[in-house]
């Protein structure tokens, strides 16, 4: 019984470790996406401020936007069809962007993605928290069951030992009693023999 519970606890812990590893990978991806969105927005706003309302996607701003676009296309952070087409276009590597994109549209799209990535991260964190709480509760229950089973086993062993000692004590007392009786019988036999011997001698003297 104890071994079965210990095995159940071990299997549950291994499963939880795997779940946590999967969560960590997804959470790290979401955190990276959030950071990329923030950096892209900052780069675009800086570019916009220096270019009078429009931003030609070059240099650092272009790199940040491409990074976000790839993350968005590979994730579950769905956006509108128009914005998805924009992201797909922006994600293309190796192109020289001759056209000028309205930075307000791109910033709005990335801000939308930022909100969605934050939502994904929060959902992942909550799921992990709930799963971990449930796991801890189950492990505590198993730990208590193992503890009670061990106590029960120890009590049974102690009871069996006490009964064995009691039996041995009774057998020892019985053996001592038998020995005493045998000693008494032997002593009585000696007395009888002595009395009989004395009686014979008395009869011989009297005749």
């Amino acid at each position: 019984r104890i071994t079965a519970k210990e095995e159940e606890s071990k299997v549950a812990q291994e499963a939880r470790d795997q779940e946590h590893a999967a969560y960590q990978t997804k959470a790290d991806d979401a955190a990276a996406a959030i950071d990329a969105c923030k950096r892209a927005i900052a780069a675009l706003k800086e570019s916009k401020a220096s270019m009078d309302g429009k931003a030609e996607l070059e240099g650092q701003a272009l790199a940040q936007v491409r990074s976000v676009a790839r993350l968005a296309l590979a994730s579950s952070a769905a956006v509108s069809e128009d914005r998805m087409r924009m992201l797909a276009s922006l994600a293309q590597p190796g192109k020289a962007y001759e056209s000028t994109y309205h930075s307000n549209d791109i910033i709005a799209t990335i801000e939308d993605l930022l909100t969605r990535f934050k939502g994904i991260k929060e959902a992942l964190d909550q799921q992990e928290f709930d799963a971990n709480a449930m796991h801890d509760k189950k492990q505590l229950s198993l730990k208590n069951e193992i503890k009670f089973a061990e106590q029960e086993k120890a009590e049974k062993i102690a009871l069996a030992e006490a009964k064995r000692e009691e039996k041995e004590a009774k057998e020892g007392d019985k053996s001592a009693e038998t020995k005493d009786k045998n000693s008494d019988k032997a002593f009585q036999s000696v007395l009888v023999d002595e009395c009989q011997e004395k009686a014979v001698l008395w009869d011989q003297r009297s005749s």
Side-chain angles (χ1 to χ4, degrees), residues 19-146:
E19 289 173 356
H20 177 72
Y23 151 77
Q24 196 63 61
T25 298
K26 293 178 181 178
D28 289 345
D29 288 345
I34 290 169
D35 181 63
C37 285
K38 289 179 178 179
R39 286 187 283 108
I41 291 169
L44 282 168
K45 286 184 176 180
E46 182 179 357
S47 178
K48 175 186 173 183
S50 65
M51 297 190 71
D52 229 9
K54 292 186 177 182
E56 189 173 349
L57 299 182
E58 305 179 318
Q60 184 64 27
L62 175 58
Q64 298 294 348
V65 171
R66 278 178 173 169
S67 174
V68 172
R70 293 191 191 101
L71 287 169
L73 292 170
S75 75
S76 58
V79 293
S80 69
E81 187 175 341
D82 288 343
R83 286 183 172 180
M84 190 60 74
R85 280 198 297 269
M86 178 191 292
L87 291 171
S89 177
L90 294 174
Q92 295 298 319
K95 276 190 177 181
Y97 285 88
E98 297 176 358
S99 58
T100 300
Y101 293 84
H102 289 286
S103 59
N104 287 340
D105 291 339
I106 300 170
I107 290 172
T109 297
I110 296 176
E111 285 178 339
D112 184 22
L113 284 171
L114 176 60
T115 300
R116 292 172 186 272
F117 281 129
K118 284 182 177 180
I120 290 171
K121 180 67 165 55
E122 288 174 2
L124 286 169
D125 290 344
Q126 186 61 51
Q127 289 170 6
E128 173 65 10
F129 178 83
D130 293 342
N132 201 57
M134 186 178 298
H135 169 74
D136 287 346
K137 184 177 180 180
K138 181 178 181 180
Q139 288 293 71
L140 179 60
S141 176
L142 287 171
K143 183 179 179 180
N144 287 334
E145 288 184 43
I146 292 170

Side-chain angles (χ1 to χ4, degrees), residues 36 72 147 155-156 170:
K147 179 181 177 181
E155 289 170 358
K156 287 181 178 179
K170 287 181 178 180

Side-chain angles (χ1 to χ4, degrees), residues 12-22 135:
Q13 185 61 56
E14 289 174 350
R16 178 83 279 271
D17 290 343
Q18 291 176 357
E19 289 173 356
H20 177 72
H135 169 74

